[in-house]
Amino acid sequence: MSVINVGQAAVLGVVEGLTEFLPVSSTGHLKITEGLMGIPVDDDAVVGFSAVIQVGAIAAVLLYFFKDIVRIVSAWGRGLVNKEERYHHDYKFAWWVIYATIPIVIVGLAAKPLIEGPLASLWVVAASLIVGSGVMWAADQMGRHKRGEDDTTFKDAMLVGGSQILALLFPGFSRSGATMSTALILDLDRVAATRLSFFLGIPALTGAGLYELKDALGTGVGAVPLAVGTIVSFVVAYASIAWLLKFVAKHSFNAFVVYRLLVGVLLLGLLSMGALSS
């Protein structure tokens, strides 16, 4: 029997779609939801399932930003064959995304036993939610929000891309939260920080999903639950992306900070009382 049934897969798809790009930690919310449903969070098949349904969320990003992606990839392709095109910002940006993905790939492969073992604990998730909240609040206060997307540099991309490692090692910190916070510290405005987080997440999350596919299919998760979770994730993520970009254009990240703190404290309480297994 599959360790995750179709109903559970649909619920996890909703959670993944809602939280993948919001700075609240999709991994943390998935682990909490899995724990509440009695699903073993450290099972190889469950870890693989969580990674694969991220591809649904990534597909939503690809669709939502299709025109931007075509523009950037086209500029990159032209620059490969035409030296004059290499001065175009989109050409440079394409390379920056590639370079900025390398650190998380190296750490992800090297630290895989830790990431799927001790660091998968819900205690780590709770602590990371709380600590990450403080980082996000400080970043939003410190940032001067004066630089737009066209002002991004190679340094910005590498620092923001490298910050994804925090979420990789400490589930609960949030990949979106780490990247957006870093971008804000670098004085990007909230919309630019959010869009940069989206673009940098595409190769990292897609690669993780494809890498984990064999574990999800081969060690206890059926094809039907996997398909359901991925499709639901795609639909919900698309709506989530559209909402987030509108929200950050007019609001600070304070609502996410408060929400993360509440979830982190609640999770610590549930773990301390034994209501959830770490």
Side-chain angles (χ1 to χ4, degrees):
M1 291 182 63
S2 171
V3 295
I4 297 176
N5 61 42
V6 173
Q8 292 171 329
V11 171
L12 293 173
V14 171
V15 173
E16 166 63 24
L18 280 174
T19 61
E20 181 59 57
F21 300 110
L22 300 185
V24 297
S25 176
S26 62
T27 301
H29 279 74
L30 284 171
K31 290 184 179 298
I32 292 170
T33 306
E34 289 163 359
L36 291 172
M37 292 193 296
I39 299 172
V41 298
D42 57 350
D43 186 287
D44 286 344
V46 176
V47 173
F49 174 87
S50 298
V52 172
I53 64 173
Q54 287 178 333
V55 176
I58 290 299
V61 172
L62 293 174
L63 179 61
Y64 192 90
F65 293 107
F66 182 74
K67 290 183 179 179
D68 295 292
I69 293 169
V70 169
R71 188 191 75 243
I72 293 168
V73 172
S74 297
W76 182 71
R78 291 194 302 270
L80 291 177
V81 297
N82 187 337
K83 186 176 181 180
E84 293 182 359
E85 294 288 340
R86 296 173 190 172
Y87 296 98
H88 197 287
H89 185 270
D90 285 340
Y91 171 80
K92 296 176 182 178
F93 185 76
W95 277 116
W96 297 345
V97 170
I98 294 171
Y99 294 145
T101 303
I102 294 174
I104 193 173
V105 172
I106 294 173
V107 173
L109 293 174
K112 192 171 187 289
L114 283 174
I115 294 168
E116 297 180 356
L119 293 178
S121 167
L122 288 178
W123 288 105
V124 175
V125 171
S128 299
L129 277 166
I130 294 171
V131 173
S133 298
V135 173
M136 179 175 291
W137 179 84
D140 206 13
Q141 300 301 311
M142 291 167 54
R144 289 178 287 178
H145 314 294
K146 66 177 185 177
R147 299 171 57 210
E149 187 174 349
D150 290 339
D151 299 318
T152 55
T153 64
F154 174 69
K155 177 184 175 182
D156 296 329
M158 291 303 296
L159 289 174
V160 174
S163 70
Q164 296 178 108
I165 294 172
L166 286 172
L168 185 68
L169 296 177
F170 306 107
F173 203 97
S174 168
R175 189 202 65 81
S176 294
T179 52
M180 291 177 191
S181 295
T182 303
L184 290 172
I185 291 172
L186 294 170
D187 293 332
L188 269 70
D189 63 48
R190 295 186 182 99
V191 174
T194 303
R195 285 174 59 88
L196 182 58
S197 174
F198 285 146
F199 288 126
L200 288 173
I202 291 173
L205 295 176
T206 302
L210 295 176
Y211 181 80
E212 296 287 355
L213 181 60
K214 64 182 185 303
D215 291 332
L217 291 176
T219 55
V221 175
V224 174
L226 194 61
V228 169
T230 303
I231 293 170
V232 171
S233 171
F234 166 79
V235 174
V236 176
Y238 190 91
S240 178
I241 293 166
W243 175 84
L244 180 61
L245 286 170
K246 291 179 181 178
F247 180 85
V248 298
K250 299 180 179 180
H251 302 85
S252 73
F253 287 100
N254 288 343
F256 297 116
V257 171
V258 173
Y259 174 78
R260 289 171 56 103
L261 282 171
L262 291 175
V263 174
V265 171
L266 175 62
L267 181 55
L268 284 177
L270 292 172
L271 289 168
S272 298
M273 294 185 296
L276 274 180
S277 171
S278 63

